[in-house]
């Protein structure tokens, strides 16, 4: 209590009884006055205590505020609706203007690029620590934070956020990881990671995609002639690596193998089919890496050698594949100038053959060496020819008459298959136009359509234009679509099928029963018929299980009101069994092989003799 209060109280107390007596008021009034004075004293004391406490709080608040203002830590208090109730300057400086408004929610995300908000379900974040990403505004990367969230235990709910900006640390970690994983000179994967990536590729191989490949590309330093500029590999290896990345297919992995050698890994999905074709073509392209430098002296200064090994043909481990590719490099060096060599002798022998076949195919298209043969389809019930399958034949001056099996893989790999499909349809239209004029037309002509052709943007337009030129109807043609077309369904497939059915084309699912998704294809797409996979027909007369499966497929098609076509009929028993099962349209060598168009009239003259006597 202040001193003046005590003096006032000591002066009043002795005077109170006397004052009461003189005034004649009685002792009760004196007591009331004393109590009043005592209350004044107590209130004065309490007020003084409150003032001292207030000053203490102000001092502590000033210290806390100074800490919050000067702290590098990011501190915020958010309300239950995730709006910031308080942001210290360090936190506020990171936010765009729109997020500084009290009503704008704090945009914290669970990862650097996703849209999942960290505090979307804040009730589960009573005590949380981890990394979060702060939205720093449009056209700015999100800021990485090391953050802790603490929720109050008493209502109203609010959350204390304390964190640090770790964006710089993240960037340094990424740069360090990149330096460890990548070669400084080339920017490619480092030699240390090459075997790890190769092992990953080996592990990803399966029964459907069983192969992967390794290419080692070595650049030998050659001595330049006198008075000629000399190009050093270390001065151009960066440019060569950049060109390499542009020329290898998407999905390949490029790495530094040694000081003068680069490596390319081809994953299983790029090694389907006749992998020798794609590898041979890619390797020949990579032999010209030094020529892409644009410096004439580079060709004279550097020799390019490529060694190729295949899994599992050349080895089952990364070390084995690398050793085989190195051995192939040594062999390529003995061939002289820029050269490539497969580790496996058989593959090496086939590779030039495929290269030659590709060149011959391109010339054959220009020189008109292709023709169409027609294999008849017969109805067992009517004993008549009800259509034909168009089968391309290549009349090669060097190789003789070749069926598609001899050149289909090369045509597919080179993209020539699209041109061959269009050529086949054009020839079929011209032939059907002639048959109509001569009165020997009989049923639809069926054509096999490759996946590449089907996915062309102008596929439907090309067919429609050809029909217009010849004045034919689409209803006179059947398009056989392999299941590969439907493996990656999208809106374009639906649109293309709808356009084809609108024009009037008859659509058939080829090789039905062979793939795992045939049933879903039948359910989803507007098909008219199915063509049973040849594997179910071959030797069916000797295999009861095979017969049961074939009969089930035919019944299924009848339930779905689809026509059924069976091909590859080799004997009368197969024809009889299929007829009993309910398949009426048959095709195979039992009746006739594929014939040139000129021989079709003679075939029709004896069509009633094509179906042999049924076997009882």
């Amino acid at each position: 209590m202040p001193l003046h209060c005590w003096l006032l109280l000591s002066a009043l107390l002795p005077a109170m009884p006397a004052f009461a007596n003189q005034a004649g008021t009685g002792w009760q009034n004196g007591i009331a006055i004393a109590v009043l004075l005592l209350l004044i004293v107590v209130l004065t004391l309490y007020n003084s205590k409150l003032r001292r406490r207030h000053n203490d709080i102000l001092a502590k608040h000033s210290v806390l505020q100074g800490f919050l203002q000067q702290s590098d830590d990011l501190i915020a208090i958010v309300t239950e609706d995730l709006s910031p109730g308080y942001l210290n300057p360090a936190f506020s400086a990171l936010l765009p203007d729109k997020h500084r408004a009290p009503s704008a929610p704090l945009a914290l995300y669970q990862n650097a690029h996703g849209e999942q908000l960290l505090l979307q379900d804040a009730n589960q974040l009573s005590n949380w620590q981890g990394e979060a990403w702060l939205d720093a505004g449009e056209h700015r990367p999100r800021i990485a934070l090391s953050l802790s969230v603490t929720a109050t235990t008493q209502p109203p709910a609010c959350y204390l956020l304390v964190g640090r900006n770790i964006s710089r640390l993240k960037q340094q970690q990424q740069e360090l990881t990149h330096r460890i994983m990548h070669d400084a000179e080339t920017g490619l994967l480092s030699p240390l990671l090459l075997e790890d990536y190769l092992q990953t590729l080996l592990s990803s191989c399966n029964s459907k995609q069983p192969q992967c490949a390794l290419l080692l590309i070595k650049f030998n330093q050659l001595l330049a002639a006198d008075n000629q500029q000399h190009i050093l590999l270390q001065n151009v290896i960066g440019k060569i690596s950049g060109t390499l990345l542009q020329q290898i297919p998407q999905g390949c992995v490029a790495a530094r193998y040694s000081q003068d050698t680069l490596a390319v890994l081809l994953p299983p999905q790029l090694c389907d089919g006749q992998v020798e074709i794609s590898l041979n073509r890619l390797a020949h392209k990579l032999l010209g890496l030094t020529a892409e430098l644009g410096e004439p002296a580079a060709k004279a200064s550097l020799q390019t050698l490529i060694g190729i090994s295949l899994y599992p043909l050349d080895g089952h481990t990364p070390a084995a594949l690398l050793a085989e590719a190195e051995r192939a490099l040594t062999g390529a060096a003995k061939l002289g100038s820029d050269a490539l060599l497969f580790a496996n002798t058989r593959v090496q022998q086939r590779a030039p053959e495929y290269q030659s076949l590709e060149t011959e195919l391109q010339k054959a298209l220009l020189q008109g060496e292709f023709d169409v043969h027609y294999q008849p389809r017969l109805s067992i019930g009517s004993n008549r020819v009800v259509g034909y399958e168009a089968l391309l034949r290549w009349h090669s001056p060097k190789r003789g008459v070749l069926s598609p099996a001899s050149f289909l893989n090369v045509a597919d790999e080179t993209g020539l298959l699209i041109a061959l499909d269009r050529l086949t349809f054009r020839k079929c239209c011209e032939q059907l136009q002639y048959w109509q004029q001569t009165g020997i037309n009989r049923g639809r002509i069926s054509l096999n359509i490759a996946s590449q052709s089907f996915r062309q943007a102008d596929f439907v337009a090309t067919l429609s234009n050809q029909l217009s030129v010849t004045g034919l109807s689409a209803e006179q043609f059947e398009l056989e679509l392999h299941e590969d077309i439907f493996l990656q369904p999208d809106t374009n497939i639906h649109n293309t099928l709808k356009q084809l059915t609108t024009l009037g084309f008859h659509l058939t699912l080829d090789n039905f029963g062979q793939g795992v998704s045939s049933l879903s294809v039948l359910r989803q797409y507007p098909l008219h018929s199915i063509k049973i996979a040849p594997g179910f027909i071959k030797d069916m007369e000797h295999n009861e299980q095979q017969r049961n499966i074939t009969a089930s497929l035919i019944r299924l098609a009848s339930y779905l009101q689809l026509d059924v076509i069976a091909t590859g009929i080799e004997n009368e028993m197969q024809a009889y069994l299929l007829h009993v099962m309910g398949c009426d349209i048959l095709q195979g060598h039992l009746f006739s092989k594929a014939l040139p168009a000129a021989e079709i009239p003679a075939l029709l003259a004896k069509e009633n003799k094509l179906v042999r006597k049924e076997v009882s």
Side-chain angles (χ1 to χ4, degrees), residues 393-471:
R393 294 293 183 266
W394 176 16
H395 296 266
S396 170
K398 176 181 177 182
R399 304 171 186 267
V401 180
L402 301 178
S403 67
S406 304
F407 57 84
L408 196 62
N409 288 327
V410 176
D412 188 25
E413 290 285 344
T414 57
L416 294 174
L417 199 54
I418 298 171
L420 291 177
D421 277 359
R422 296 184 178 186
L423 174 67
T424 303
F425 185 68
R426 177 175 61 81
K427 286 184 172 292
C428 286
C429 286
E430 294 171 353
Q431 187 60 53
L432 184 57
Q433 188 180 34
Y434 174 77
W435 282 342
Q436 284 185 335
Q437 294 170 357
T438 56
I440 61 171
N441 181 36
R442 189 67 61 80
R444 297 188 186 92
I445 295 180
S446 175
L447 301 97
N448 291 279
I449 302 299
S451 299
Q452 288 185 25
S453 298
F454 185 86
R455 295 184 182 277
Q456 296 301 304
D458 62 344
F459 173 64
V460 178
T462 301
L463 299 183
S464 180
N465 291 338
Q466 187 60 49
L467 291 174
S468 299
V469 170
T470 54

Side-chain angles (χ1 to χ4, degrees), residues 351-579:
E353 170 65 15
Y354 286 127
Q355 191 79 8
S356 174
L357 190 60
E358 178 182 345
T359 304
E360 291 179 39
L361 271 174
Q362 293 171 339
K363 291 182 179 178
L365 271 169
L366 297 175
Q367 296 174 1
E369 296 176 3
F370 290 97
D371 192 14
V372 178
H373 287 198
Y374 300 88
Q375 186 172 33
R377 288 178 175 172
L378 283 87
S379 167
I380 300 296
S382 64
N383 199 20
R384 286 174 59 83
V385 173
V386 293
Y388 307 91
E389 180 176 2
L391 299 169
L392 196 63
R393 294 293 183 266
W394 176 16
H395 296 266
S396 170
K398 176 181 177 182
R399 304 171 186 267
V401 180
L402 301 178
S403 67
S406 304
F407 57 84
L408 196 62
N409 288 327
V410 176
D412 188 25
E413 290 285 344
T414 57
L416 294 174
L417 199 54
I418 298 171
L420 291 177
D421 277 359
R422 296 184 178 186
L423 174 67
T424 303
F425 185 68
R426 177 175 61 81
K427 286 184 172 292
C428 286
C429 286
E430 294 171 353
Q431 187 60 53
L432 184 57
Q433 188 180 34
Y434 174 77
W435 282 342
Q436 284 185 335
Q437 294 170 357
T438 56
I440 61 171
N441 181 36
R442 189 67 61 80
R444 297 188 186 92
I445 295 180
S446 175
L447 301 97
N448 291 279
I449 302 299
S451 299
Q452 288 185 25
S453 298
F454 185 86
R455 295 184 182 277
Q456 296 301 304
D458 62 344
F459 173 64
V460 178
T462 301
L463 299 183
S464 180
N465 291 338
Q466 187 60 49
L467 291 174
S468 299
V469 170
T470 54
L472 298 174
S473 168
E475 296 176 355
Q476 296 170 286
F477 294 93
E478 178 180 327
L479 305 182
E480 295 185 14
L481 308 176
H482 195 273
E483 192 183 37
D484 290 347
I485 293 174
F486 307 99
L487 290 181
Q488 297 178 341
D490 54 33
T491 55
N492 291 332
I493 290 179
H494 284 279
N495 293 337
T496 302
L497 292 174
K498 184 177 179 180
Q499 293 175 41
L500 291 173
T501 53
T502 301
L503 286 172
F505 283 104
H506 192 90
L507 304 182
T508 297
L509 176 61
D510 196 9
N511 286 324
F512 178 69
Q514 185 178 32
V516 295
S517 60
S518 292
L519 294 180
S520 62
V521 170
L522 293 182
R523 188 177 65 252
Q524 296 178 30
Y525 299 103
L527 300 170
H528 302 94
S529 58
I530 63 169
K531 188 176 177 182
I532 298 176
F536 291 105
I537 307 300
K538 185 178 181 181
D539 297 329
M540 67 179 300
E541 67 273 23
H542 304 302
N543 190 318
E544 182 179 0
Q545 184 181 24
Q546 197 165 308
R547 291 196 298 272
N548 292 335
I549 294 174
T550 304
S552 298
L553 294 177
I554 293 172
R555 283 198 300 272
L556 174 63
S558 67
Y559 295 151
L560 298 174
Q561 298 181 339
L562 296 172
D563 295 331
V564 181
I565 304 161
T567 63
I569 313 301
E570 299 291 339
N571 57 63
E572 293 167 343
M573 179 57 79
Q574 292 174 353
Y576 171 74
L577 290 172
L578 288 164
H579 178 55

Side-chain angles (χ1 to χ4, degrees), residues 38-204:
L38 184 61
L39 183 59
I40 293 173
V41 171
V42 170
L43 291 176
T44 303
L45 292 173
Y46 184 70
N47 180 60
S48 177
K49 183 178 181 180
L50 289 178
R51 186 177 292 110
R52 287 199 305 274
R53 183 177 298 176
H54 177 67
N55 290 336
D56 289 343
I57 292 174
L58 287 178
K60 293 177 180 179
H61 177 74
S62 177
V63 173
L64 178 60
Q65 190 66 26
F67 169 76
L68 294 176
Q69 293 293 112
Q70 299 174 18
S71 176
D72 292 333
D73 287 337
L74 312 176
I75 302 172
I77 298 175
V78 297
T79 59
E80 189 173 12
D81 62 357
L82 308 182
S83 299
Y86 170 79
L87 297 172
N88 76 330
F91 209 139
S92 181
L94 298 179
L95 293 175
D97 294 338
K98 64 177 182 178
H99 289 305
R100 295 176 187 173
S103 60
L106 205 59
L108 286 167
Y109 294 89
Q110 294 182 3
N111 51 59
H113 304 289
E115 298 301 322
Q116 184 68 33
L117 289 169
L118 176 70
L119 299 178
Q120 199 166 23
D121 191 5
N123 293 329
Q124 298 179 2
L125 298 178
S126 57
N127 286 284
W128 179 89
Q129 288 184 339
E131 291 183 357
W133 277 261
L134 177 67
D135 184 5
E138 295 181 0
H139 310 300
R140 293 178 61 189
R142 290 177 181 175
I143 300 171
L145 305 179
S146 175
L147 191 68
S148 65
V149 180
T150 305
T152 58
T153 57
Q154 301 294 330
C158 62
Y159 305 90
L160 173 65
L161 278 60
V162 180
R164 275 192 174 266
N165 186 348
I166 58 172
S167 296
R168 179 59 180 167
L169 177 61
K170 282 283 185 184
Q171 183 180 356
Q172 291 173 346
Q173 289 176 345
Q174 291 174 357
E175 292 173 353
L176 178 60
T177 301
H178 188 273
R179 285 198 297 270
I180 294 174
M181 295 182 63
H182 293 79
D183 176 65
E185 282 188 311
T186 64
L188 306 179
L189 286 178
S190 70
L192 297 174
L193 293 177
L194 177 58
E195 287 200 35
D196 291 339
Y197 268 81
L198 188 51
Q199 181 60 56
T200 301
L201 291 188
L202 302 190
S203 302
S204 64

